[in-house]
Amino acid sequence: MIITDTHTHLYSEAFDEDRNDMIARALNAGVSRFFIPAIDSTYTESMLQIEKHYPENVFLMMGLHPTHVKDNYKDELKHVEEMLAKRKFYAVGEIGIDLYWDKSTLGIQQEAFKYQIQQAKKYKLPIVIHCREAFDEIFEVLETEKDDDLYGIFHCFTGTLEQAHQAISYNMKLGIGGVATFKNGKIDQFLNQMDLKHIVLETDSPYLAPAPYRGKRNESVYIIKVLEKLSELYGVSLKQVAEITTQNSKDVFGI
């Protein structure tokens, strides 16, 4: 049974004390594919080092996270562009709009999001979207960029059923993680109305640990709890959920 974590920050400082042990725990549980989103240029070298140590298991993305769209965002976008031109990445991400922390940067967040979508299209890559309190703003940009070359994953999907259908209409899979196990997560109330072909699994570790670990450091092995929840919601075996969601990840990332 191959399980794919489509979104994990393995380079995070939260793992500095036990990174290899943490990855070993996941590998031993059958979690053998890790897709690593970028945040900004300060993490690039750490990402490359993890890939070097786990070349069969780690697949890198390149992008500028919306909460890191600051005054120097043009320099950061140049770094993204240079890295995409230099070597193989499997997605442009995580990119998007986050209005939870700072609404004043909306304009440059929109600009950076749109620019990175266009870079993804240039290299025929999927995008991985970060959305926090910004569904309308995200959909507005996606509407302007909608075509056959636009596809990817709506990471950490926490919207409504209607928003789920809208995300899928832009050729997006829904990234489902720990929130599906929360008592107040809400998405568990309608998730099984979405065909499993639209779902990929993720942890977003070290963030958003699933129940019963909520509030603690998340890690990739905990994706098993998300797998169990989806097996329960859809009424199919763990193996089926793992197979379908891993195939979905292959369809997006091409590997």
Side-chain angles (χ1 to χ4, degrees):
M1 185 166 75
I2 297 171
I3 304 165
T4 302
D5 187 348
T6 61
H7 202 105
T8 174
H9 299 269
L10 294 181
Y11 51 81
S12 169
E13 295 87 349
F15 300 126
D16 283 353
E17 300 298 315
D18 65 343
R19 182 171 289 105
N20 291 327
D21 290 342
M22 179 271 295
I23 292 172
R25 284 192 289 273
L27 291 171
N28 290 337
V31 188
S32 58
R33 289 156 50 84
F34 307 92
F35 288 85
I36 315 296
I39 291 178
D40 65 20
S41 62
T42 65
Y43 290 98
T44 300
E45 186 55 36
S46 301
M47 292 168 64
L48 294 172
Q49 286 302 312
I50 290 171
E51 179 193 51
K52 185 177 177 182
H53 286 106
Y54 298 93
E56 301 297 313
N57 308 102
V58 164
F59 308 95
L60 303 183
M61 310 178 203
M62 179 47 55
L64 177 61
H65 192 292
T67 63
H68 288 242
V69 177
K70 308 290 187 185
D71 291 343
N72 69 335
Y73 77 101
K74 289 190 176 176
D75 292 333
E76 286 289 338
L77 291 177
K78 187 177 180 186
H79 174 74
V80 170
E81 188 175 356
E82 288 171 350
M83 291 302 296
L84 289 171
K86 185 188 291 188
R87 51 151 291 159
K88 171 71 176 170
F89 289 93
Y90 292 91
V92 175
E94 63 190 279
I95 64 175
I97 300 174
D98 187 312
L99 298 180
Y100 178 80
W101 297 106
D102 188 355
K103 293 181 173 63
S104 72
T105 58
L106 174 59
I108 57 174
Q109 284 192 55
Q110 289 168 317
E111 182 185 335
F113 184 31
K114 196 174 179 75
Y115 177 79
Q116 291 181 97
I117 292 172
Q118 290 164 358
Q119 286 293 304
K121 289 179 178 180
K122 177 180 175 180
Y123 291 98
K124 305 293 185 189
L125 292 174
I127 60 171
V128 173
I129 298 172
H130 171 106
C131 172
R132 194 167 186 191
E133 296 192 2
F135 276 103
D136 290 344
E137 291 80 3
I138 292 277
F139 289 147
E140 187 179 321
V141 173
L142 294 180
E143 188 62 36
T144 68
E145 291 294 329
K146 186 176 184 178
D147 61 23
D148 292 341
D149 293 327
L150 178 69
Y151 70 108
I153 295 172
F154 216 106
H155 148 64
C156 190
F157 182 80
T158 55
T160 63
L161 178 60
E162 182 184 3
Q163 287 166 334
H165 284 300
Q166 192 166 353
I168 288 166
S169 77
Y170 296 115
N171 296 324
M172 298 295 147
K173 305 289 188 197
L174 306 180
I176 302 300
V179 174
T181 70
F182 296 172
K183 284 184 179 177
N184 60 349
K186 297 180 182 175
I187 60 171
D188 60 312
Q189 296 171 21
F190 66 79
L191 203 55
N192 62 3
Q193 295 178 49
M194 315 299 301
D195 194 302
L196 261 177
K197 71 182 181 183
H198 300 303
I199 306 294
V200 292
L201 303 184
E202 62 168 61
T203 57
D204 198 19
S205 60
Y207 315 107
L208 291 172
Y213 308 107
R214 188 175 185 183
K216 298 179 181 177
R217 185 191 76 170
N218 198 5
E219 55 181 86
S220 282
V221 72
Y222 294 164
I223 204 169
I224 301 298
K225 293 299 179 185
V226 182
L227 187 68
E228 290 170 352
K229 184 65 176 181
L230 266 62
S231 172
E232 173 194 322
L233 290 174
Y234 282 90
V236 298
S237 69
L238 295 176
K239 186 180 180 196
Q240 278 180 284
V241 177
E243 282 178 354
I244 293 168
T245 53
T246 284
Q247 183 57 53
N248 294 344
S249 75
K250 291 177 179 179
D251 293 342
V252 173
F253 294 116
I255 190 167

